[in-house]
Amino acid sequence: MARKMGVFTILAFTLYGLFFYWYLFKFSSSALPFEYQGTSADPATFLNGRELGLSEEYSKTRNLLFFLSSPWEWLFYILIMLTGLNSCFKQWAEQATKRKIFRTPIYLFWFSFVGYLAALPLGLISYSLSKTYNISTQTFPSWMKDELIDFWINYGTLLIIVPVLYYLLKRSQKRWWLFAWMLSVPFTLFMMFVQPVLIDPLYNDFYPLKNKELEAKILTMADKAKIPAEHVFEVNMAEKTNAMNAYVNGIGSNSRIVLWDTTLNRLTDDQILFIMAHEMGHYVEKHLYIGIAGYLLLSLVGLYLAHVLMQHILQKWSRVLKVPSPDDIRSLPLILLILSVLMFGSSPLSNAVSRYQEARADQYAINMTKNPQAAIGSFQELTRAGLSQVNPPFLVKQFRYGHPTMLERISMLEEYQIQHRKQ
């Protein structure tokens, strides 16, 4: 039975991959509707022929890697249960020490390490792809350093969450999901609070914006929006990427306005001010807190569904999966599998909410700056720097895009320009 299930799983993954290869490379099209051709949203008006070709090639391959990554993770979880490797992790932990308190950390290390090795091929392909298309400027040793930081942060997070989770499972197999969710609320807020000052600096160096004149303009805008910001931070990303970004993260006193140095190097001050106004729009409309509330609501539903589905699956395939009960540590891959599938399945909904918020932030930014030419130029330059598609295929938009497409964003700005030209 385990062999049949394994063969079926691998076959399903193969067919899934072939479907998305056909969809992305043969069936779908990113061509613009006729009415948008020749407008500022048409990539042919701001990209040369070579850039257009590279954008299509890079986007299609990157999108394929995205659609393969989650099922690849699911395949890993299923196969380590079916093959008994998951039971080996537990056995190795039991053989390594007589003290139960150390067995879970040892199990988690082997689980995380083998999972890291399983994910490494797709990571290497993604890194190689971004280097080939000159998106990434990062050296391989630097990339591996970031990968190792990822590994230890993920391992440390599991080391905090998993012992608590299985304590709850042993105490109450019917209500563990509710208690786990209740504990996740302060933990999520704590992680958001410490991320800007403890986690982000592990990857990059942050320092106050060097351009004090630009910082003064940004802080003036922040003051008008009643945002309590004293500094704008710059991060050295040029040694890792040619892409551009700006964001506000953290909560409370640890919130930060951050600009990548690539953004500072490639955009004009007016374009940067539009992007900063966009980020301020999120603050003014409280998108961060709405996002936290939405995430916590989805996590509550997700944990409940994980409880129900795990009970149902173990009733049918407990012996095949070699997971005797929900409170056995060997159920961890099954819990993570279910949660990952639920997150992937719910991503069109969460992305739709995010796109709405991003569109609101765009509208706020253009109303604040009243400079549509600078705004359009910033989006065009973002498209060029990231070799992104202006009008991505439907499934790519639904599952990948937390922002409106560049076609939608630039078209909104053109409409604003036309309306205010008449006034």
Side-chain angles (χ1 to χ4, degrees), residues 62-102:
R62 185 181 59 171
N63 289 334
L64 179 61
L65 287 173
F66 166 80
F67 281 110
L68 290 178
S69 60
S70 289
W72 183 263
E73 178 188 356
W74 307 340
L75 185 65
F76 165 73
Y77 292 143
I78 293 171
L79 291 183
I80 65 166
M81 288 188 288
L82 293 177
T83 60
L85 188 58
N86 188 37
S87 296
C88 288
F89 298 155
K90 183 179 181 182
Q91 185 179 351
W92 296 342
E94 291 172 346
Q95 291 173 348
T97 179
K98 293 181 179 180
R99 296 191 176 185
K100 291 184 178 181
I101 193 172
F102 296 122

Side-chain angles (χ1 to χ4, degrees), residues 1 5 310-320:
M1 181 64 179
M5 189 177 289
M310 181 168 63
Q311 294 283 356
H312 179 72
I313 291 170
L314 290 183
Q315 284 177 4
K316 282 193 169 185
W317 296 296
S318 173
R319 185 173 299 178
V320 177

Side-chain angles (χ1 to χ4, degrees), residues 258-278:
V258 180
L259 276 163
W260 286 11
D261 57 354
T262 50
T263 305
L264 292 164
N265 295 338
R266 298 185 64 163
L267 297 185
T268 66
D269 282 5
D270 285 343
Q271 291 170 341
I272 292 170
L273 289 175
F274 170 79
I275 291 175
M276 286 290 93
H278 169 95

Side-chain angles (χ1 to χ4, degrees), residues 53-260:
L54 291 175
S55 173
E56 283 299 301
E57 293 173 8
Y58 176 69
S59 295
K60 287 178 179 179
T61 309
R62 185 181 59 171
N63 289 334
L64 179 61
L65 287 173
F66 166 80
F67 281 110
L68 290 178
S69 60
S70 289
W72 183 263
E73 178 188 356
W74 307 340
L75 185 65
F76 165 73
Y77 292 143
I78 293 171
L79 291 183
I80 65 166
M81 288 188 288
L82 293 177
T83 60
L85 188 58
N86 188 37
S87 296
C88 288
F89 298 155
K90 183 179 181 182
Q91 185 179 351
W92 296 342
E94 291 172 346
Q95 291 173 348
T97 179
K98 293 181 179 180
R99 296 191 176 185
K100 291 184 178 181
I101 193 172
F102 296 122
R103 289 177 180 175
T104 296
I106 295 172
Y107 169 88
L108 289 175
F109 174 80
W110 285 112
F111 176 77
S112 301
F113 179 68
V114 175
Y116 171 77
L117 293 180
L120 192 58
L122 284 182
L124 285 169
I125 292 171
S126 180
Y127 168 72
S128 177
L129 178 72
S130 61
K131 288 285 285 187
T132 300
Y133 285 87
N134 201 35
I135 302 296
S136 173
T137 59
Q138 192 172 17
T139 64
F140 183 75
S142 173
W143 180 80
M144 277 303 304
K145 176 188 172 185
D146 285 351
E147 287 289 300
L148 290 174
I149 292 172
D150 280 346
F151 171 82
W152 287 111
I153 288 177
N154 291 334
Y155 174 71
T157 304
L158 286 176
L159 207 54
I160 296 170
I161 294 173
V162 171
V164 175
L165 178 65
Y166 279 89
Y167 171 79
L168 296 174
L169 272 163
K170 291 181 186 297
R171 293 296 299 269
S172 175
Q173 290 197 15
K174 290 185 177 181
R175 296 286 182 267
W176 68 268
W177 56 274
L178 179 59
F179 300 134
W181 177 79
M182 291 170 65
L183 289 174
S184 76
V185 174
F187 180 75
T188 300
L189 295 176
F190 173 75
M191 292 301 293
M192 293 187 69
F193 182 78
V194 302
Q195 181 176 337
V197 293
L198 293 182
I199 298 177
D200 289 349
L202 295 174
Y203 295 91
N204 302 290
D205 294 327
F206 291 78
Y207 37 83
L209 186 62
K210 296 173 185 175
N211 187 337
K212 295 304 176 184
E213 184 179 345
L214 177 60
E215 183 182 44
K217 293 178 182 178
I218 294 171
L219 292 177
T220 299
M221 288 173 57
D223 183 61
K224 288 180 180 178
K226 298 181 180 179
I227 297 174
E230 296 180 1
H231 298 287
V232 179
F233 287 87
E234 182 178 341
V235 56
N236 60 328
M237 291 299 296
E239 62 185 25
K240 292 185 177 182
T241 183
N242 283 318
M244 297 185 291
N245 196 15
Y247 59 88
V248 176
N249 71 341
I251 56 175
S253 60
N254 278 3
S255 59
R256 283 185 172 184
I257 300 174
V258 180
L259 276 163
W260 286 11

